[in-house]
C-alpha cells in the first residue's frame, strides 16, 4: 500500500509505503512537484481513554453483550481512533461484572477487537457520593474502595482493567491506591472532593492522572483551597481534559494546558453511549436526556446541566489548538502519544517499522478567528488495513 499525505508534525509531504501491517518506507516529496496542498494530514491513530459507549449503548449497562462491544470497537475508526478504553461508570455490582465479562469475551473472541481495546477504564464505583463531584453517577452505588471487590472486578475483566478513576478522600485511600498502582493499573483521581493533603497522599501512593479535570466537581468552590488548584499544581499528575467546547470554557482549557504543559495533558471525549444519535429527547438508564442541535448532551428540559459528552476526540484536537494556542502536533500528541505513554503501550509513529495504525485527516480552517477548525477524518488504518474511509 502506498499513501501520500502531509505529516501532522512538520507539514512535510511524504509518501508512505505499508506492508504486513507496518510502515516500511517514508520518502519526503518535493512540495513543488506534487499537488500536496490537497493531500490529507497523517498522524498516528488517536487513542481515547474515556469512551463510554456509542449509538445508544453504554458499556456500563445490563444489556451490553460481547457482540455489541465488538461492534463499537469497529465503529471507533470513524473518529480516527485506532485504540480506546471502554469506560465503565458506577453501576450495580452485577451490572459491572456483566459488562467487564462482555468486554473480556469480545477481546478473547477476536484478535481484531483485542487490538483496539487498550484496556478497560473503570470510572467508579469508588467515588464521592456528594452532588457535584459524583456528576451523573448514581449516588446509591457510590462507595468506599474495597480491594477484594476490585480483585473480583479484575477477574471478570480477565485482568484488562488498566485505569481506575476514584475519589481519594476515603479512609485508607493511600494504601488502596498503592496496591492498585502496584498491580500495574493507572490510578486516576476523579469525581472527588479531596483536600490538599489527601490529594498529596494519593499521589505519593502512586496516583498518576486527574480524570476530566474541572468536571465532576462542585459548581462553587473556595477560591484558593480547592481540589482543582491542588491537582493543577501537582506536576506528578497528568490531566485528562474534555475539550468539546461544552465541558470547559476556552479560557479554562488554556489555563489548564499552560499550567500542566501540553506534555501532561491527555484529550478524552468522555463520549456517552447516547452519542451518535440525532438531536432529540431520549431515556437513558440514569435520567431523561436531550441532545441539542449543537451536539450538547444535557439533562432533558434545560440547556445548562450536562449529562455527558457527544463529540469525538478529534473535536478536542481542533478545539485545543484554538483554545490553548498549541500546535497541531502538540494537540495530536495529547490524543495519541500521551495516552499511550500513560498506559505503557507503543504510541506508534511515522517512521519505518512503526505499526500502520494511522489517521488521515483534514483540519478544516475555521470560519473566523474566534472559532475552532474542524477535524475531518478521511481514513483510518488499523494494522495496515483500511478500517474507515477511503484512500
Ligand atoms: Zn466522569
Amino acid at each position: 500500500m502506498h499513501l501520500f499525505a502531509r505529516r501532522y508534525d512538520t507539514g512535510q509531504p511524504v509518501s508512505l509505503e505499508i506492508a504486513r501491517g507496518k510502515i516500511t518506507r517514508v520518502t519526503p516529496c518535493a512540495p513543488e512537484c506534487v499537488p500536496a496542498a490537497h493531500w490529507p494530514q497523517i498522524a498516528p491513530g488517536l487513542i481515547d481513554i474515556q469512551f463510554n459507549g456509542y449509538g445508544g449503548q453504554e458499556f456500563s449497562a445490563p444489556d451490553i453483550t460481547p457482540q455489541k462491544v465488538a461492534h463499537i470497537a469497529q465503529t471507533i475508526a470513524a473518529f480516527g481512533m485506532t485504540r480506546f478504553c471502554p469506560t465503565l461508570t458506577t453501576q450495580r455490582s452485577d451490572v459491572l461484572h456483566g459488562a467487564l465479562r462482555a468486554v473480556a469475551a469480545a477481546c478473547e473472541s477476536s484478535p481484531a477487537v483485542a487490538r483496539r481495546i487498550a484496556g478497560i477504564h473503570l470510572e467508579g464505583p469508588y467515588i464521592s457520593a456528594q452532588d457535584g463531584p459524583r456528576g451523573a453517577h448514581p449516588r446509591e452505588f457510590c462507595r468506599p474502595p474495597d480491594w477484594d471487590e476490585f480483585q473480583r472486578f479484575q477477574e471478570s475483566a480477565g485482568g484488562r482493567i488498566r485505569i481506575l478513576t476514584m475519589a481519594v478522600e476515603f479512609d485508607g485511600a493511600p494504601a488502596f491506591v498503592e496496591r492498585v498502582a502496584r498491580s500495574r493499573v493507572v490510578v486516576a483521581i476523579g469525581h472527588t472532593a479531596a483536600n490538599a493533603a489527601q490529594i498529596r497522599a494519593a499521589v505519593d501512593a502512586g496516583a498518576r492522572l486527574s480524570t476530566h479535570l474541572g468536571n465532576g466537581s462542585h459548581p462553587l468552590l473556595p477560591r484558593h483551597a480547592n481540589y482543582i488548584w491542588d491537582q493543577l499544581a501537582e506536576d506528578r499528575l497528568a490531566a485528562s481534559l474534555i475539550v468539546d467546547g461544552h465541558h470547559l470554557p476556552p479560557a479554562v482549557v488554556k489555563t489548564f494546558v499552560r499550567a500542566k504543559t501540553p506534555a501532561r495533558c491527555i484529550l478524552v471525549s468522555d463520549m456517552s453511549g447516547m452519542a451518535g444519535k440525532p438531536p432529540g429527547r431520549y431515556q437513558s438508564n440514569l435520567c431523561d436526556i436531550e441532545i441539542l442541535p449543537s451536539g450538547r448532551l444535557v439533562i432533558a428540559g434545560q440547556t445548562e446541566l450536562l449529562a455527558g459528552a457527544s463529540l469525538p476526540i478529534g473535536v478536542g484536537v481542533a478545539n485545543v489548538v484554538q483554545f490553548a494556542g498549541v500546535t497541531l502536533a502538540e494537540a495530536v500528541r495529547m490524543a495519541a502519544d500521551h495516552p499511550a505513554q500513560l498506559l505503557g503501550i507503543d504510541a506508534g509513529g511515522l517512521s519505518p517499522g512503526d505499526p500502520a495504525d494511522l489517521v488521515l485527516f483534514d483540519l478544516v480552517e475555521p470560519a473566523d478567528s474566534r472559532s475552532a477548525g474542524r477535524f475531518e477524518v478521511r481514513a483510518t488504518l488499523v494494522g495496515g488495513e483500511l478500517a474507515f474511509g477511503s484512500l
Side-chain angles (χ1 to χ4, degrees):
M1 186 187 288
H2 215 134
L3 298 178
F4 297 94
R6 289 173 292 140
R7 293 183 63 110
Y8 76 104
D9 48 356
T10 61
Q12 168 74 49
V14 289
S15 120
L16 271 95
E17 286 169 49
I18 292 167
R20 293 176 301 282
K22 289 192 184 304
I23 298 170
T24 51
R25 188 193 291 240
V26 182
T27 314
C29 303
E32 65 277 8
C33 68
V34 288
H38 302 292
W39 290 0
Q41 313 230 26
I42 191 165
L46 307 183
I47 304 171
D48 191 346
I49 61 168
Q50 192 155 6
F51 191 92
N52 303 286
Y54 191 69
Q57 181 64 56
E58 300 279 349
F59 290 113
S60 194
D63 59 347
I64 190 73
T65 62
Q67 292 74 23
K68 290 177 178 174
V69 173
H71 178 70
I72 295 171
Q74 300 296 323
T75 308
I76 63 157
F79 308 124
M81 291 153 57
T82 50
R83 283 173 289 181
F84 75 119
C85 293
T87 301
L88 275 57
T89 49
T90 303
Q91 261 300 341
R92 268 194 349 248
S93 204
D94 60 311
V95 173
L96 286 178
H97 279 288
L100 293 165
R101 281 194 287 266
V103 176
C107 291
E108 279 154 22
S109 64
S110 160
V113 172
R115 181 191 177 103
R116 292 177 188 216
I117 293 181
I120 297 168
H121 182 167
L122 184 60
E123 190 191 21
Y126 312 133
I127 61 166
S128 170
Q130 287 183 40
D131 287 347
R134 75 182 167 85
H137 292 235
R139 186 203 318 268
E140 62 204 295
F141 306 127
C142 299
R143 53 187 183 267
D146 177 333
W147 173 253
D148 291 336
E149 183 186 50
F150 181 68
Q151 290 302 98
R152 292 195 294 276
F153 286 147
Q154 197 58 294
E155 277 164 33
S156 290
R160 289 181 179 80
I161 299 170
R162 294 300 321 281
I163 304 175
L164 175 69
T165 290
M166 61 176 284
V168 294
E169 58 269 36
F170 297 108
D171 287 345
F176 180 82
V177 167
E178 196 176 344
R179 278 183 106 167
V180 175
R182 244 195 275 130
S183 71
R184 294 190 59 251
V185 174
V186 173
V187 177
I189 300 174
H191 292 281
T192 187
N195 63 30
Q198 290 162 335
I199 288 168
R200 196 176 319 109
V203 177
D204 287 345
R208 289 172 54 204
L209 178 72
S210 299
T211 283
H212 54 49
L213 190 60
N215 296 113
S217 63
H218 296 93
L220 291 173
L221 286 168
R223 62 186 172 154
H224 291 151
N226 73 63
Y227 43 76
I228 296 179
W229 291 122
D230 291 328
Q231 292 180 79
L232 264 185
E234 176 52 79
D235 290 343
R236 293 172 293 174
L237 287 173
S240 73
L241 305 173
I242 309 170
V243 191
D244 62 356
H246 301 295
H247 279 73
L248 297 171
V252 173
V253 173
K254 180 175 179 177
T255 310
F256 282 8
V257 171
R258 297 259 169 113
K260 277 286 151 192
T261 75
R264 283 193 294 267
C265 290
I266 294 175
L267 298 178
V268 292
S269 72
D270 200 10
M271 244 157 85
S272 154
M274 288 294 148
K277 301 192 69 91
R281 213 171 160 128
Y282 301 95
Q283 260 189 329
S284 81
N285 47 355
L286 302 179
C287 58
D288 279 5
I289 62 143
E290 202 170 338
I291 300 179
L292 304 178
S294 63
R296 196 172 167 93
L297 199 156
V298 295
I299 294 169
Q302 51 85 58
T303 60
E304 285 307 307
L305 294 173
L306 297 171
S310 64
L311 300 174
I313 191 166
V315 171
V317 171
N319 281 345
V320 81
V321 169
Q322 172 71 18
F323 297 172
V326 299
T327 63
L328 175 64
E330 286 171 316
V332 167
R333 287 188 194 110
M334 290 182 199
D337 301 59
H338 303 171
Q341 285 157 8
L342 181 83
L343 293 166
I345 57 178
D346 183 5
L350 296 180
S351 302
D354 284 331
D357 285 4
L358 301 165
V359 56
L360 289 98
F361 65 97
D362 295 311
L363 193 65
V364 180
E365 290 293 320
D368 56 65
S369 62
R370 293 185 57 209
S371 42
R374 269 197 337 272
F375 186 95
E376 287 188 355
V377 179
R378 283 211 214 173
T380 307
L381 276 78
V382 180
E385 303 282 331
L386 185 66
F388 172 78
S390 57
L391 297 171

